Amino acid sequence: AELATAFNAMARQLNERRERLLKTLVVLRRSRKEIKQERDFKQTIVENVEVGILTLDSNQCVTSLNGVARVILKIKEEAVGHLPLGEALHEFPELCEAISQSLQTERWSEYTSLERNGRSFTYRLALHPLSSGREDGHILTIEDLTERVNFRQQVSRLERLASLGRLSAGIA
């Protein structure tokens, strides 16, 4: 009788533990789904902004970058994975130099112009520390402002021509 009572108590405890485990499993699945949705949401945002985003570790290696950064810096997708910053920016030594000098500061932002194949390019670079609990990395953003700068120059040129036209009309 004692053995049967102990066996029944053990069976009841096992059932209670099983039910708790099943409830925990449901909670874990829900939590996993929410985490996956949050990750996908953030990844969608990072991939669809018009700014190149790179993350750097403490050794100045690129640990991740979005599609815009790949296009601006002409980096192939398979080349990422602790890629040294110098290699990632091998076609842009001016950018690499500016960024390397700024890695000692906490936050930094700068406009950089450079010439390639007879064309002028303007980039806005910004460096921020990672705030994901690791204090040894940075987020680097690269924004191609070439079209905006060219548009502003064209508008300025047109305004000067309009002024000159008004002056000529007034003299005439």
Side-chain angles (χ1 to χ4, degrees), residues 111-163:
Y111 292 88
T112 304
S113 296
L114 50 107
E115 295 283 330
R116 291 288 184 274
N117 302 324
R119 282 189 66 207
S120 178
F121 294 92
T122 303
Y123 296 102
R124 180 183 175 272
L125 307 171
L127 192 69
H128 305 279
L130 275 174
S131 61
S132 63
R134 296 181 310 178
E135 298 175 4
D136 58 350
H138 290 87
I139 296 174
L140 172 66
T141 60
I142 300 176
E143 187 175 4
D144 187 353
L145 300 176
T146 304
E147 288 182 27
R148 288 186 208 170
V149 169
N150 290 342
F151 180 73
R152 285 182 183 158
Q153 288 173 345
Q154 287 177 349
V155 167
S156 177
R157 193 174 120 259
L158 290 173
E159 286 175 353
R160 285 193 308 269
L161 288 173
S163 285

